[in-house]
Amino acid sequence: MDNLTPPAASREEAMANIRHKLALLPDQPGCYLMKNGEGRIIYVGKAKVLKNRVRSYFIGSHDGKTQKLVSEIRDFEYIVTASNTESLILECNLIKEHMPRYNVLLKDDKSFPYLKITHEAHPKLEVTRRVVKDKAKYFGPYPNAFAAQQTKKLLDRLYPLRKCNVLPDKVCLYYHLGQCVAPCEYPVDQKVYDEMIGEISRFLNGGHADIRRELKRKMEEAAEELAFERAREYRDQITAIDALMEKQTINMTDAMDRDVFGFAVDKGWMCVQILYMRQGKMNQRHMSVFPYYGEPYDDFLSYVTQYYSDNPALPREMLLPLPPEEEAGERETPAAGTDSEAALTRKLAEEEDTADSPSEEGGEVGDSLRRWLKIKVALPRRGTKKQLVAMACDNSRVALEEKFKLLERDETRTVKAADGLAELLGIPSAHRIEAFDNSNIQGASPVSAMVVFTDGKPDKKEYRKYNVRSVEGPDDYETMREVVRRRYERVLKEGLPMPDLIVIDGGKGHIASVMDVLANELGLDVPVCGLAKDAKHRTAELLVGDPPEPVPLARDSQEFYLLTRIQDEVHRFAITFHREKRAKGMVASKLDAIPGIGEKRRKQLLKHFGSLKAIKEASVEDFKAVSIGEALASRILEALNAE
């Protein structure tokens, strides 16, 4: 059996080392690098106060995604910076250098298309996804290649820069179409190129209206001179500009280039939506969906910083949502974002946007980005800009809802996904799938959970919770062995339905542990599979067999979505149970530690007051109702409030 986790002794040593290092953390801004048992960096984060942020990973409970990260941490490093701005830039650079598997990584999403005017003796206009420092002019990014190509097609008709990569021996078809000045055949004055490059730059920076007016003037002059062919060409160019710009439905009167960001999170996934506004007109959108493992807003900012780190075509302004703690205090009635797009268009057209108030400048977040990118950064709290951000956030929420509800609405798809999974694994059926996951924090309050999916849908009445009895410390393998043994001993004893497939959230070692219990202790032959992760720690393939071998899964397949739902659900169920148990244990331990409070009085107090918080806020007189005198009541309040 492969041992994929460090032995207990080394884990305890690692935790002891971490506790010593936590005590030495400074009260300064900086970046921290979390490492696994192999010394590999698995997460990079930034903090305004390193001492508080890093300690939070090892204190209290976390959701399933973060707990997965914390369970692998065996060491950490930190780098102190002089300011939050420096920590923001350093975090971005460290993520790009180390590509930690738990960070938001934009390796694929960074390849947005740009329009480029080359810096050559005979410049040309082209679409590129590579941005380099070559003195060329870059415009964009465009959300997709089609949008960039359509704009280039129009500009090729308006401005006849060369089209070929290597100058030919004679003029080509583009010259005869009036779309090339033919430097291969005729000398071209640099002034001609400068004028065309200036016009193209003005157009791509939002000066569509000026270009249109100039073309209309030329069309009318040509018509007066009876040059109808030339007038028709100008008319066609004006029509092409109108067609390109008619999609711009939302306007702002300040004619500023801005990018509007919004995000939403659900079930461990994040969706970021970017609304592109050029010259005050919203004309394109871009969406990214990916798993996240840290704090939602921190990982959202990580996305933003990576997005702009190599972007030479910055807008004049960026709009971002407020941090959650500030957003909670800024709720508007009616809530921002409730207007329809058409209503928002009318409001934006009627309302003159005034200069941002100091409150919109975004505090430390906005200030850090502003200092780094040298552009205006606003986190609006009210008004039309706030509604634009709300629109981006609403679109993100809708995208995530579609992602997770699509399969749930379609019964036939879920059944088909289960059948497809069975065929993929070479088993007769996957009608009933039972999945297991463990949950603990550094070995404290260990629990495990089982969920059941029948024909691809969750069967919640069949879910089971397990308090781990025989395992001490965070030993995933032994925990899995105990829980599987208890589950299927009961199945055999009570004649309960046997699963067609057992899904384990783990690798080869977890699969081997489960198969050993099933075959050698219980005499059962039930197919077992594990969920393997890719470099970004996303579910990518199945591990099946003895020894386990990978079965690749397409990320857009129904079988992949089914496994993702099963994994998310068993994580959620295990974490919920763990939090309940941990909360009860904390209450019990705090009361039991007080002299004069035994199990009977503890239960009596909790039954009467309802919670530990209510006990702490009670007066001495309130304890008389449960037959506790002033002396003991004072000791209870003193012990609880001293913390």
Side-chain angles (χ1 to χ4, degrees), residues 91-105:
E91 181 200 35
C92 181
N93 293 336
L94 289 172
I95 289 173
K96 289 165 65 178
E97 179 183 352
H98 298 289
M99 302 292 287
R101 71 192 222 183
Y102 285 106
N103 278 100
V104 173
L105 300 172

Side-chain angles (χ1 to χ4, degrees), residues 90 319 363 379 465:
L90 178 60
L319 302 183
L379 282 71
K465 304 173 183 176

Side-chain angles (χ1 to χ4, degrees), residues 432-446:
R432 181 184 176 92
I433 300 174
E434 297 186 358
F436 294 84
D437 191 23
N438 303 327
S439 180
N440 68 79
I441 295 181
Q442 310 304 326
S445 306

Side-chain angles (χ1 to χ4, degrees), residues 252-263:
M252 292 190 75
T253 54
D254 59 6
M256 182 182 286
D257 292 356
R258 55 171 57 88
D259 290 348
V260 184
F261 283 81
F263 78 102

